């Protein structure tokens, strides 16, 4: 069946070919978190984005292929409930931004900053630092031949940016970063994989940016 990205907790994962990477999206835990497994189709090396919950299900998706890294998009606890178990089972190092590293239950062996790159076998992901939802929130960008693919954590969703809890400074910082580092740079066909819920594209969201600024969240 074609990929939709519409996954539910307790339901099957959804998979797609990203031209060099195989993507598996799975929903886990009481907060309906999305976790993403990226596997290099040439080498079999894997990367996990957000070991959010249900470690046994995540390990099942990983199978017996090597896990080269776990990336945590930000410090909020619902995105790392399974992190310690996955790391213990696989020995994979953890990457996160230094500003969000301290709350995590395992050491961040490979800290990343804006503009850094991460390898998944023969594929490369770019780190984009998006300040506001948390100080160290990051997105990961994979540029495939068909289109860019962007994993945004809780910084960008269908319908708006991530929560900033009524703080005008944090809101301005996040929407500025999302506008300048994502929308001003990437094309409409960019596929967006958020930390919760359904996927979207930048083209679907771009017309709403003025309304986001006006409503302040």
């Amino acid at each position: 069946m074609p990929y939709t990205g519409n996954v539910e907790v307790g339901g099957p994962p959804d998979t797609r070919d990203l031209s060099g990477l195989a993507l598996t999206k799975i929903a886990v835990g009481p907060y309906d978190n999305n976790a993403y497994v990226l596997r290099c189709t040439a080498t079999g090396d894997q990367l996990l984005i957000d070991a959010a919950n249900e470690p046994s299900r995540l390990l099942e998706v990983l199978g017996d292929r090597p896990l080269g890294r776990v990336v945590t998009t930000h410090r909020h606890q619902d995105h790392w409930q399974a992190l310690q178990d996955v790391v213990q089972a696989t020995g994979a190092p953890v990457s996160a931004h230094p500003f969000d590293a301290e709350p995590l239950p395992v050491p961040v062996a490979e800290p990343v900053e804006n503009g850094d790159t991460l390898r998944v076998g023969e594929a490369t992901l770019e780190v984009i630092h998006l300040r506001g939802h948390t100080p160290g929130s990051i997105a990961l960008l994979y540029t495939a031949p068909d289109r860019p693919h962007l994993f945004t954590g809780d910084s960008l969703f269908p319908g708006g940016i991530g929560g900033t809890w009524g703080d005008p400074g944090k809101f301005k910082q996040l929407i500025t970063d999302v506008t300048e580092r994502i929308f001003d740079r990437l094309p409409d066909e960019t596929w967006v994989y958020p930390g919760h819920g359904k996927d979207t594209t930048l083209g679907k969201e771009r017309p709403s940016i003025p309304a986001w600024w006006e409503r302040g969240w």
Side-chain angles (χ1 to χ4, degrees):
M1 294 186 58
Y3 175 85
T4 66
N6 300 333
V7 294
E8 297 181 354
V9 175
D14 203 357
T15 61
R16 76 185 303 185
D17 180 6
L18 304 187
S19 300
L21 288 177
L23 161 73
T24 301
K25 176 182 181 180
I26 185 171
V28 294
Y31 296 101
D32 194 17
N33 287 76
N34 295 326
Y36 300 93
V37 174
L38 303 179
R39 176 175 56 83
C40 175
T41 54
T43 67
D45 190 28
Q46 297 184 109
L47 179 146
L48 171 61
I49 301 173
D50 283 343
N53 212 305
E54 300 184 57
S56 61
R57 296 191 69 208
L58 299 180
L59 292 170
E60 183 179 359
V61 171
L62 291 166
D64 57 4
R65 293 178 292 267
L67 178 63
R69 180 179 290 105
V70 183
V71 179
T72 300
T73 59
H74 63 290
R75 65 170 66 183
H76 289 159
Q77 193 171 13
D78 60 310
H79 288 261
W80 51 257
Q81 287 291 290
L83 183 60
Q84 188 166 16
D85 288 341
V86 169
V87 168
Q88 287 177 348
T90 65
V94 175
S95 290
H97 193 282
F99 291 167
D100 276 17
E102 185 176 352
L104 304 186
V106 297
V108 173
E110 298 177 352
V112 291
E113 305 270 2
N114 188 57
D116 286 348
T117 57
L118 297 171
R119 299 286 296 181
V120 189
E122 296 181 357
T124 300
L125 305 174
E126 180 188 341
V127 177
I128 302 175
H129 186 196
L130 301 171
R131 301 157 292 185
H133 182 68
T134 66
S137 289
I138 58 172
L140 296 178
L141 173 66
Y142 176 59
T143 304
D146 63 334
R147 66 172 79 202
H149 298 266
L150 185 66
F151 302 86
T152 56
D154 282 2
S155 291
L156 178 63
F157 296 98
I161 62 171
T164 52
W165 303 280
D167 185 313
K170 291 179 179 178
F171 167 77
K172 184 178 180 179
Q173 180 68 79
L174 180 55
I175 198 167
T176 298
D177 278 1
V178 166
T179 300
E180 294 179 350
R181 299 184 178 187
I182 293 178
F183 283 98
D184 288 354
R185 174 187 170 195
L186 298 173
D188 283 351
E189 62 265 26
T190 302
W191 198 280
V192 176
Y193 306 86
H196 306 262
K198 297 180 179 180
D199 302 352
T200 188
T201 65
L202 293 188
K204 291 179 181 178
E205 306 305 322
R206 192 184 302 274
S208 300
I209 295 174
W212 300 349
W213 276 100
E214 184 175 355
R215 76 188 185 192
W217 56 273

